[in-house]
Amino acid sequence: NGCRFAALAQSDLLLLQGIMSVASGANSMYNFLQPKPLLTPALYGAAFAVFSAAIAAKIARERFVQLTDDEARIHSEYFDGLERSSFKRLAAAGALCTACSSGEVISTRSGTSGLDAPSY
């Protein structure tokens, strides 16, 4: 129960979900290891621990996005209001192109979604 109270004082959702996952897992084991195992609360606690861990993993995946140098530059110059994880998905769907002084567009990296670079 101490873990649950500590989790409620957290303002960071990743830390909150991590602590709640540990607390629910410990509570589940406590109920399961009783002389007469309490299966319903043990299974509920295990399910809640799994759900909290999945939410924590989703938050971590969205929070810790690695952008290449080009993607970071483009994000900071043109897409600053867009979250980094959303920009990473957007960048993966498109193509990175460079315009030459002659007006020709050269594709330097194509996206993974099958979209073609714009032809001018």
Side-chain angles (χ1 to χ4, degrees):
N1 287 335
C3 284
R4 293 184 195 274
F5 288 123
L8 292 175
Q10 297 301 318
S11 61
D12 182 23
L13 285 179
L14 180 60
L15 190 55
L16 170 91
Q17 290 297 334
I19 293 172
M20 289 303 288
S21 181
V22 170
S24 295
N27 192 20
S28 177
M29 291 305 297
Y30 173 79
N31 287 319
F32 186 72
L33 296 174
Q34 292 297 311
K36 182 179 180 195
L38 305 171
L39 294 180
T40 301
L43 293 175
Y44 173 78
F48 192 78
V50 168
F51 291 143
S52 290
I55 291 170
K58 181 181 182 228
I59 293 170
R61 192 172 49 249
E62 290 178 357
R63 184 178 293 180
F64 304 114
V65 173
Q66 298 294 324
L67 298 177
T68 65
D69 292 338
D70 288 336
E71 289 172 343
R73 181 182 53 78
I74 293 169
H75 177 262
S76 65
E77 289 179 12
Y78 303 106
F79 295 94
D80 196 32
L82 192 63
E83 292 180 0
R84 291 171 63 96
S85 59
S86 297
F87 176 74
K88 183 70 172 182
R89 286 192 300 271
L90 179 66
L96 183 61
C97 300
T98 304
C100 297
S101 59
S102 65
E104 180 183 359
V105 176
I106 301 171
S107 177
T108 57
R109 177 183 63 87
S110 61
T112 58
S113 68
L115 296 176
D116 295 328
S119 58
Y120 295 97

